Amino acid sequence: MAIEKQIDLFEEEISTPIPTGEDIAQMEDGGVEVTLTDQQQIDEAEAMGLFDEENLVDTGAFDANLAELMSEEDLQSVANDLDEGFQRDKDSRSEYDEIAEDGITLLGLQYDDSAGAFPGSAGVTHPVLAQAVVKFQAKAYKELFPTEGPVRTRIMGVQTQQKIEQANRVRQFLNWQTQFQMPEFGPELDKLLFNVALYGTSFKKTFWDPSLQRPVTEFIKSSDFFVDYYATNLESAERYTHKYLLSKNEIKKMQLIGMFRDIDIDTDYDLEESGAKELENEIVGVSKPTDNDEYVSILEMHVNIDLPGFEDQDGLKLPYIVHMTEDGQKVLCIRRNWDQQDAMKKKKMFFTHFTMIPGLGFYGYGYIHLIGGLTKTATSSMRQLLDAGTFANLPGGFKAHGLRVLAPDEPIAPGEFREVNAPAGDLSKSLQILPFKEPSSTLFNLMDYASKLASQFADSTDNVVDNATNYGPVGTTMALLEQSSKLFNAVHKRLHSAQTKDLRILTRLDSEYLPDMYPYEVAGGAQQVFRQDFNLKSIDVIPVSDPNMPTEAHRIAKINAIMSIAQQNPAAYNMEAIGLELFAAMGVEDPQRYLKQQQQPISADPILENMASLRGAPLQAQPQQNHDAHIIVHGKFMEDPAYQSPAVQQLLISHIQEHLAMKYQIEMAQMVQDPQAQQVIMSAPQQQQQMPMQMQNDIALAAANAADKVLKLDEEKAKIMSGETEDPQQEQIEIQKQDLALRAKKQMDIVKMHKDKMDLEESKLIIDDENKDEDRKLKEAQLAVKATNDAMKDAEKMIYATRMK
């Protein structure tokens, strides 16, 4: 056990050098052990009284109960300070507790006979508040705790196979843990959501139970949780307190396992209950016992304090967890609340704050704050309508003093005539009925308006459905649903964020208390998880709920929109994955049983392939097939009106494209002269992608040279298929004529060049001798005639040679 020495360095000057290096050893609890080897050092330390009992403070192990190491005087001082802070926190929220009492009353869970102004008046409560709370609870619980489990994981940083396996192990274990090992997880969350909807604030506590040897989670009412008035969140709060009851037997268990001090606890005092708790007991039909000798009210305080004997050297208040009795007389436990390796000594979180609508302070707003006034208005209007109907059906009034009725206390049954003694002989003069009116239509409209306004504020999605005469286009309906669910979307994101914090607390507890390898049994086999898997640096745990899609209707509409787009081009999408996503959004278990078994693709003659396409069987082209023939047969089959099914058309189009791709590959390989390049072109695409860049560039150059040949070949084939080709001999003659025409044109260009040259010479000679003009023109004509004759002779020779062949 480490020993902390308290030394006043200013009382006496120390001449002995301070030990360093090997003389100082770091202890597991964060302290140090100093070894004095020099006798002079030991003598001086004894002379200064450093080894006296009163100067030694036992700091204990890091996770020790520090209350056992403190004096009773120090403990009582700490208890008094903490009790004073608790009372301040309790008084600062007294009005909040009064609002909670109104919430219980306005739920209408109990008929109030004394609510009216006269005996027998209506005591019913309008159910608009209860309806809003129950609807919210049902929707939120379904999203936050689905049947497959509430946890999913995501990978942080670069995705690797090791991280994927780690994320899968953590996700599977946490879903098993929250559903099987912690059976209270779902029910406690369900109760929490009801209170969040009603009051706007609730808390969840997740901690390690040493008696059960597993994590435990429990819902905490806002009336049992007290926070420092100046706190804005739990992470930065200087103090917050959980008040709960603990039986003497449970206290004894905690003492036996070393969690609490082994001291006597007095239970002979009255347990205080809030007004809201008393109303809850009245509604349920239970009452608190008059005497108490079994239970103790415990305060679990997470607080920053300067603990006597364990002060921080920098004078900071450090985070501790203190368990004490509510009367402030007994301190049961004080433990450090930070990680031993954390140099910053940040407090560890065990509580999660769930809110519906953020309030102006720490506590949130619930439906009691948002529609409580409208609920009171609707309730008052309903009671007045019922009372008015009662008076109209059973009116009262005045009767004459001498009028006597037989059996006056019994009501008159339908069809009954009862004897009376009327002094004046005229019964109408002896009775005066007060003029009670029928229930007011104005009052009814007011009640209807208040209830609809409250319902619209609480959940306007239902109003969209109720008011829709027809649903119209899907996009319009979805836009209305999205607009109407804005409130719940925002609330769902807050709940999603709060549950993320709660799951991270659970993950931290698993990393601290689980063994290095933890095996567990699941349906279908055994699994295991490692403690190091819960390191949240490489993965993160988040709720399976989607804050962007808070309802099942939104998820189904989203998947339907994706499927509608995918159906326009099924070859570009994984239709099976989209179908499975739709089944998951609908909550269908084991959707694989609805899918057909994967069929092997058919590769045969085009007739058999067309027959297979009618059955929806997959088709596959082969390189050795006659691609042109397959394309023609499939194309004609698609043009037949008897077989123009959209599914068949899409299947055959995809198959024809596969043939075209293989045909192009073969033609390009044939046009390339290099055998090595041909082999590369005909190889699998995966192999081509792995080729060096230089080889890819060589193939590209060879393909560029062959592309024009492939284009001309395809054009000629197209002419053949369309019947546009003529006799081959005649076609050859036409080619020769075209060649001769080109040569003639070339000769004419030569003549024109000579003419231009002669014009130049003429411009030089015209000044000297204009008489030579006639000779120049004659020579020019002779040259032109000679050139033309030569061209015609060459053409005739070519035609004659062609015909002889």
Side-chain angles (χ1 to χ4, degrees):
M1 184 174 295
I3 303 298
E4 180 179 327
K5 302 178 177 60
Q6 296 181 331
I7 306 175
D8 190 350
L9 300 179
F10 298 99
E11 287 186 358
E12 182 176 350
E13 183 178 356
I14 301 176
S15 60
T16 303
I18 298 177
T20 58
E22 298 179 354
D23 296 334
I24 302 177
Q26 183 75 28
M27 306 299 293
E28 293 183 356
D29 60 358
V32 295
E33 184 180 85
V34 179
T35 303
L36 300 180
T37 57
D38 186 86
Q39 186 61 41
Q40 181 182 358
Q41 295 177 344
I42 297 175
D43 294 341
E44 292 189 10
E46 289 180 349
M48 295 170 58
L50 298 182
F51 294 155
D52 295 343
E53 291 294 331
E54 61 270 16
N55 289 333
L56 298 179
V57 178
D58 187 358
T59 61
F62 184 82
D63 59 348
N65 182 0
L66 303 183
E68 296 179 343
L69 308 178
M70 297 173 60
S71 65
E72 288 296 331
E73 181 180 358
D74 289 339
L75 284 176
Q76 193 59 48
S77 174
V78 170
N80 293 337
D81 292 341
L82 295 180
D83 182 66
E84 181 181 353
F86 168 71
Q87 295 300 329
R88 288 199 304 268
D89 299 340
K90 184 177 179 181
D91 295 339
S92 66
R93 44 163 281 175
S94 57
E95 294 184 3
Y96 184 86
D97 295 335
E98 295 176 1
I99 296 176
E101 296 181 30
D102 289 341
I104 296 295
T105 304
L106 290 178
L107 279 177
L109 302 178
Q110 186 181 34
Y111 190 86
D112 190 1
D113 292 321
S114 61
F118 58 91
S121 60
V124 68
T125 301
H126 199 285
V128 62
L129 177 61
Q131 185 182 31
V133 171
V134 171
K135 281 186 177 181
F136 176 89
Q137 178 195 22
K139 290 197 300 184
Y141 183 70
K142 181 180 180 181
E143 296 298 322
L144 295 178
F145 196 72
T147 54
E148 63 272 11
V151 184
R152 62 187 173 101
T153 54
R154 61 183 175 187
I155 296 175
M156 311 300 290
V158 179
Q159 181 171 319
T160 62
Q161 185 62 31
Q162 182 179 0
K163 289 183 179 180
I164 293 175
E165 294 175 357
Q166 176 189 359
N168 289 334
R169 287 195 299 268
V170 171
R171 174 181 55 81
Q172 293 173 1
F173 176 78
L174 289 179
N175 283 324
W176 170 84
Q177 188 176 45
T178 54
Q179 291 182 296
F180 298 98
Q181 190 186 44
M182 303 170 62
E184 75 280 357
F185 192 94
E188 292 295 312
L189 178 63
D190 201 11
K191 292 187 290 186
L192 178 141
L193 293 174
F194 183 90
N195 281 263
V196 167
L198 182 60
Y199 302 118
T201 291
S202 285
F203 301 89
K204 200 159 182 277
K205 178 183 178 183
T206 303
F207 60 99
W208 183 268
D209 191 323
S211 60
L212 297 178
Q213 286 298 299
R214 67 169 179 86
V216 173
T217 185
E218 62 177 334
F219 145 69
I220 301 173
K221 299 179 182 179
S222 57
S223 57
D224 295 330
F225 198 86
F226 304 87
V227 186
D228 177 21
Y229 171 79
Y230 297 100
T232 56
N233 55 68
L234 293 180
E235 289 76 12
S236 62
E238 289 293 323
R239 176 182 59 253
Y240 48 84
T241 305
H242 174 209
K243 174 185 172 183
Y244 63 97
L245 296 180
L246 205 60
S247 67
K248 293 176 63 177
N249 188 54
E250 290 295 327
I251 292 177
K252 189 63 178 177
K253 287 182 181 179
M254 301 296 280
Q255 290 175 338
L256 290 176
I257 62 178
M259 294 298 295
F260 287 171
R261 285 201 304 156
D262 190 7
I263 58 177
D264 293 332
I265 304 296
D266 182 18
T267 58
D268 188 16
Y269 64 91
D270 186 32
L271 296 176
E272 180 184 356
E273 288 187 346
S274 63
K277 180 62 177 177
E278 293 177 356
L279 286 174
E280 291 176 6
N281 292 340
E282 184 179 349
I283 291 172
V284 177
V286 299
S287 59
K288 184 184 69 173
T290 56
D291 56 346
N292 169 54
D293 59 355
E294 287 294 330
Y295 287 88
V296 179
S297 182
I298 302 295
L299 301 180
E300 179 183 334
M301 307 186 72
H302 292 234
V303 59
N304 296 331
I305 55 175
D306 193 10
L307 196 64
F310 302 89
E311 295 86 352
D312 181 71
Q313 60 182 0
D314 297 325
L316 295 176
K317 294 182 178 181
L318 300 179
Y320 292 90
I321 300 177
V322 180
H323 290 79
M324 56 183 291
T325 59
E326 186 180 4
D327 58 5
Q329 299 300 317
K330 302 291 183 180
V331 176
L332 302 175
C333 175
I334 301 177
R335 278 186 165 82
R336 298 177 176 94
N337 189 29
W338 68 87
D339 191 78
Q340 184 174 354
Q341 286 75 34
D342 185 7
M344 301 298 295
K345 298 181 180 179
K346 295 179 294 186
K347 67 178 175 183
K348 296 191 289 188
M349 301 300 299
F350 297 90
F351 295 89
T352 307
H353 185 196
F354 286 77
T355 59
M356 181 180 173
I357 304 293
L360 299 178
F362 176 82
Y363 298 96
Y365 291 150
Y367 282 133
I368 180 61
H369 305 89
L370 303 177
I371 61 175
L374 292 173
T375 304
K376 290 181 179 180
T377 302
T379 298
S380 177
S381 301
M382 177 181 284
R383 291 178 178 178
Q384 292 181 57
L385 288 171
L386 292 174
D387 291 341
T390 301
F391 279 116
N393 294 330
L394 299 173
F398 304 102
K399 67 176 183 177
H401 180 67
L403 179 66
R404 291 191 297 176
V405 183
L406 184 64
D409 296 333
E410 297 180 6
I412 299 177
E416 177 186 1
F417 292 89
R418 190 168 296 177
E419 295 183 359
V420 297
N421 293 325
D426 187 355
L427 184 60
S428 62
K429 295 181 179 180
S430 301
L431 294 175
Q432 178 62 48
I433 299 176
L434 294 178
F436 293 106
K437 296 182 179 180
E438 293 288 334
S440 170
S441 60
T442 303
L443 195 60
F444 177 81
N445 292 334
L446 175 61
M447 181 196 69
D448 185 62
Y449 173 76
S451 61
K452 285 184 177 179
L453 189 61
S455 299
Q456 183 179 3
F457 186 87
D459 187 1
S460 55
T461 306
D462 291 343
N463 296 306
V464 172
V465 178
D466 294 339
N467 297 332
T469 56
N470 59 76
Y471 291 99
V474 176
T476 303
T477 304
M478 287 307 304
L480 290 174
L481 287 174
E482 181 180 359
Q483 186 64 28
S484 62
S485 59
K486 291 290 187 182
L487 174 62
F488 183 75
N489 288 359
V491 175
H492 181 69
K493 289 184 179 181
R494 299 184 192 105
L495 297 178
H496 180 90
S497 176
Q499 192 177 33
T500 300
K501 296 179 181 179
D502 182 51
L503 293 177
R504 288 172 180 169
I505 292 175
L506 177 60
T507 305
R508 190 196 74 229
L509 294 174
D510 287 334
S511 68
E512 293 177 355
Y513 293 98
L514 288 184
D516 293 337
M517 193 273 287
Y518 185 82
Y520 62 99
E521 299 289 333
V522 297
Q527 298 287 341
Q528 62 182 9
V529 70
F530 304 96
R531 184 169 66 174
Q532 63 183 8
D533 289 340
F534 298 96
N535 181 5
L536 294 184
K537 293 182 179 179
S538 55
I539 65 169
D540 191 17
V541 293
I542 54 178
V544 73
S545 60
D546 185 358
N548 298 315
M549 290 288 161
T551 63
E552 182 178 299
H554 285 79
R555 286 192 293 272
I556 293 176
K558 176 183 177 181
I559 300 301
N560 280 330
I562 295 174
M563 179 168 289
S564 177
I565 296 173
Q567 287 174 346
Q568 300 175 11
N569 186 13
Y573 295 88
N574 189 341
M575 301 300 294
E576 181 179 338
I578 297 175
L580 292 175
E581 192 81 14
L582 180 59
F583 280 126
M586 297 169 62
V588 177
E589 296 184 2
D590 191 18
Q592 293 286 350
R593 66 179 184 269
Y594 298 106
L595 300 178
K596 296 187 302 182
Q597 294 295 329
Q598 288 288 345
Q599 300 182 15
Q600 292 296 328
I602 295 176
S603 179
D605 61 83
I607 299 176
L608 185 59
E609 288 181 352
N610 287 341
M611 295 170 59
S613 68
L614 294 175
R615 302 192 304 269
L619 306 177
Q620 183 177 12
Q622 295 294 339
Q624 62 271 20
Q625 289 177 331
N626 188 329
H627 301 293
D628 291 326
H630 275 256
I631 293 171
I632 293 172
V633 176
H634 294 321
K636 295 299 182 182
F637 183 75
M638 293 172 60
E639 294 176 1
D640 193 332
Y643 308 111
Q644 290 186 354
S645 168
V648 174
Q649 295 277 329
Q650 290 291 343
L651 184 61
L652 288 177
I653 288 174
S654 177
H655 184 57
I656 290 174
Q657 290 174 347
E658 188 178 10
H659 274 295
L660 289 172
M662 288 187 176
K663 173 190 171 185
Y664 175 75
Q665 183 184 26
I666 294 173
E667 290 178 347
M668 289 296 294
Q670 291 175 347
M671 293 301 175
V672 174
Q673 301 299 325
D674 187 1
Q676 183 180 2
Q678 290 180 351
Q679 184 178 1
V680 172
I681 293 174
M682 294 302 298
S683 62
Q686 294 82 359
Q687 298 178 0
Q688 296 186 34
Q689 293 176 2
Q690 297 175 358
M691 289 190 309
M693 184 57 64
Q694 182 61 39
M695 185 175 294
Q696 294 183 21
N697 292 333
D698 295 341
I699 296 299
L701 183 60
N705 296 330
D708 187 58
K709 298 178 182 179
V710 172
L711 176 61
K712 290 182 178 180
L713 179 62
D714 290 339
E715 289 176 350
E716 293 301 326
K717 289 183 178 181
K719 290 180 180 180
I720 294 174
M721 301 304 297
S722 61
E724 296 179 1
T725 57
E726 301 176 356
D727 180 50
Q729 184 175 0
Q730 184 65 28
E731 183 179 359
Q732 185 67 25
I733 293 174
E734 291 296 329
I735 293 174
Q736 295 293 338
K737 287 183 177 181
Q738 293 177 4
D739 186 59
L740 290 174
L742 290 174
R743 293 188 180 186
K745 182 177 182 299
K746 183 176 181 181
Q747 293 295 332
M748 294 300 294
D749 292 339
I750 294 174
V751 171
K752 184 176 183 300
M753 182 181 66
H754 283 290
K755 180 178 180 299
D756 294 338
K757 185 176 180 181
M758 295 299 294
D759 289 340
L760 181 60
E761 292 177 356
E762 179 185 3
S763 62
K764 294 180 179 179
L765 297 175
I766 194 171
I767 300 175
D768 299 334
D769 190 6
E770 293 182 356
N771 297 326
K772 296 181 180 181
D773 185 58
E774 295 294 335
D775 296 335
R776 182 187 60 78
K777 291 182 178 180
L778 180 60
K779 290 181 181 181
E780 178 182 345
Q782 290 174 350
L783 290 174
V785 171
K786 184 178 182 303
T788 304
N789 291 335
D790 293 340
M792 293 302 295
K793 288 179 181 180
D794 292 339
E796 290 175 356
K797 290 179 181 180
M798 293 293 293
I799 294 173
Y800 176 77
T802 303
R803 288 180 177 176
M804 291 300 294
K805 291 181 181 180

